[in-house]
Every structure is written in structure tokens, then in C-alpha cells.
Amino acid sequence: MGTPGGGERVPLLNQKAEKRGNDAQFSDCALTDLEHGDTVQATHVEFSRVYSLAKPDALNLVLAIIALLISSTTSIMILKFGGRIIDIVSRDISTPEKKKDEALNAVKSTILEVILIVVIGSICAARRAWLFSSASERVVARLRKNLFGHHIQQEIAYFYVARTGELLSRFFEDTQIIKNAATTNLSEALRSLSTIIIGLGFMFTTSWKLTLLSLAVVPAVSIAIRKFGHYLRELSFGAICTVRYFAQEDYMISRYSEKVDETLKL
């Protein structure tokens, strides 16, 4: 049976017959992971192909990134203006009345500026969430259409071999994971990165010496956390061996069930 590309499509059942007759010829056939389960490793796909699905929503994603930068900036500016208010009210109370009035007016104007910043930041944060969410839904819609179009053109024998549950998992769970990776996770990563960059900018502007002193602690803390994480991982695997050695599976299941019930009550 011919294919649109001009090549010859080999039926799935014929492929199995060829394997019994000629293993060398069968090894050259293009097999998919759905046709033969876990015996064939899935082809590695570059992540750029996933982001290519979001190209039609490039404008919305750019607007979402701009809104993200504004919201990240406003969240840090709130702290800066809060510090300004503390500086104003912590001045010497023995100053003349004129100075006190000026300080009060400065506090009022600063509070108004903070309110304006909060409003702008909230609008941009909501806009960012809406744009990324709507773009992600359109990405997963395109992916599911492409996936369905690919599957519906397979041979009949393909659907006798491929399990229905696995196909449904591809359509719903796997596409959801790709959607989160292409949009939601990207949004969170950009927000964290922008917060770090903008925050460091404000910190260096305020006091570069204090900023360098604060950053000097980061490597030591990171190394300590990494070492502690490896230690906990070794304990976790070691505990499994201990449970098996002493045949305490039922006891651990009971303990786990109690903790789950406690979490449910909380």
C-alpha cells in the first residue's frame, strides 16, 4: 500500500512475519514504541519542536513576558518604598513642626505611590497568567489535533497491537505535561529569573558592599544543601533495605496510612 510520501508502507503483521524469516531485514524496518511496547526506545525529539507549536501565539507570549517583567519589578519596588516609609518615620522626633509636616506629606505620597504600584502589578500579573494560560490551551489543542491525525492514518493492525489505555494516556496526560513544559513552566522560570535579576539590580544600587556580603553566603549554603540532599537520599534508599531485611512491609504500610489520614484531617 502506497503512502503520500511515495514510499511503500509495510503492514505491521508483515513486519512480524519478516522477523521470523529474515531478522536482518526486519531490523531495518522503522518501528515505533507503540507497536512493540517497551522493546523499542522512543526516538529523541528536540524540545524546539515543542516550542514550534507555540509560534502562532508568539505575540501573546511576548506580551505575557512584558507583563511578567512589570509585575516582577513592581513586587520588588513595594519593598523599596516600604523601606522609604520606615526611613521617614524613624527620623528624630525632636525636629520642628515644619519638618514633621513635611515627613507626614512624604509618607502620604509614598503610600499613594505604593497603592499605584500594587494596582499596576496586580493587573500585569493577572494579564500574564491569562495570556500564558490561554496560549498553553491553544498549544495543547494543536498537539492533540496533530496526534489524532497521525494515529487515525495508521493501519488497522496498529490498533490491534496498541493498547487503548496507552493511546488515551498519550492524548490527555502526555499532552498536558508538554503543555506545562512549553508554557506554564516557562512562565515560572522567567518570573524567577526576572525577579533575581531585578532584585540584584536594586540591591547593588542601594549598597553594593552589603550585596556582595550577602552573595558570599550563597555558595556555602548551596553546597551544604546539596550535601544534605545526597545524605537524605542515601538514608531513604537505605531505609527500604532495612524494611525488607526485617520484613516490616506491613508495619510501614500501616504507618504510611496513619500519616495519610493525619494529612487528610489537616
Side-chain angles (χ1 to χ4, degrees):
M1 180 169 57
T3 60
E8 183 177 1
R9 174 181 291 174
V10 179
L12 179 65
L13 298 180
N14 288 354
Q15 291 179 2
K16 292 184 177 179
E18 290 176 6
K19 180 178 181 181
R20 291 191 295 266
N22 189 345
D23 291 339
Q25 182 180 357
F26 176 77
S27 62
D28 295 334
C29 296
L31 306 179
T32 65
D33 55 339
L34 277 177
E35 290 174 349
H36 290 271
D38 297 332
T39 59
V40 178
Q41 186 177 3
T43 305
H44 177 69
V45 178
E46 296 294 335
F47 208 70
S48 58
R49 290 182 59 186
V50 177
Y51 283 107
S52 65
L53 293 172
K55 282 185 177 180
D57 296 303
L59 178 59
N60 289 335
L61 291 175
V62 170
L63 295 176
I65 293 174
I66 295 175
L68 182 148
L69 294 175
I70 296 175
S71 62
S72 299
T73 304
T74 54
S75 63
I76 296 176
M77 290 180 65
I78 293 174
L79 303 177
K80 186 175 182 64
F81 280 89
R84 182 186 297 179
I85 294 176
I86 295 175
D87 292 339
I88 295 173
V89 300
S90 61
R91 293 173 182 172
D92 189 4
I93 59 175
S94 61
T95 55
E97 291 296 329
K98 183 178 179 181
K99 294 291 185 181
K100 291 182 179 180
D101 293 337
E102 293 178 355
L104 182 59
N105 292 331
V107 170
K108 290 180 180 179
S109 62
T110 304
I111 292 176
L112 292 176
E113 291 174 352
V114 170
I115 294 175
L116 180 61
I117 291 173
V118 169
V119 171
I120 295 175
S122 300
I123 293 174
C124 291
R127 188 68 177 174
R128 172 194 63 85
W130 182 80
L131 287 172
F132 271 112
S133 178
S134 60
S136 64
E137 293 299 333
R138 284 191 287 269
V139 166
V140 75
R142 295 189 196 97
L143 182 60
R144 286 172 177 168
K145 290 177 183 178
N146 294 341
L147 189 60
F148 184 80
H150 173 75
H151 280 80
I152 204 67
Q153 294 177 357
Q154 300 297 319
E155 297 182 10
I156 297 299
Y158 169 82
F159 296 97
Y160 286 106
V161 177
R163 294 185 293 270
T164 304
E166 188 173 0
L167 293 178
L168 292 177
S169 176
R170 295 287 180 95
F171 275 100
F172 296 100
E173 295 182 8
D174 293 354
T175 54
Q176 193 74 15
I177 294 174
I178 293 177
K179 182 196 77 169
N180 293 334
T183 54
T184 305
N185 293 348
L186 176 64
S187 172
E188 296 299 325
L190 289 175
R191 185 177 67 173
S192 300
L193 181 62
S194 62
T195 301
I196 292 174
I197 295 176
I198 297 172
L200 287 176
F202 275 105
M203 291 172 64
F204 275 105
T205 303
T206 304
S207 175
W208 65 271
K209 294 182 180 180
L210 185 59
T211 302
L212 292 178
L213 179 61
S214 302
L215 293 178
V217 186
V218 173
V221 174
S222 301
I223 294 174
I225 292 176
R226 187 178 181 86
K227 294 292 184 181
F228 189 68
H230 285 299
Y231 175 70
L232 288 179
R233 185 181 303 173
E234 292 176 359
L235 285 181
S236 300
F237 285 107
I240 294 297
C241 297
T242 305
V243 171
R244 291 295 179 88
Y245 289 153
F246 293 95
Q248 294 295 311
E249 290 89 344
D250 294 337
Y251 172 70
M252 295 304 299
I253 292 173
S254 176
R255 284 190 60 187
Y256 181 76
S257 300
E258 291 177 0
K259 296 299 181 181
V260 171
D261 291 336
E262 291 178 5
T263 304
L264 178 61
K265 292 178 181 178
L266 290 175

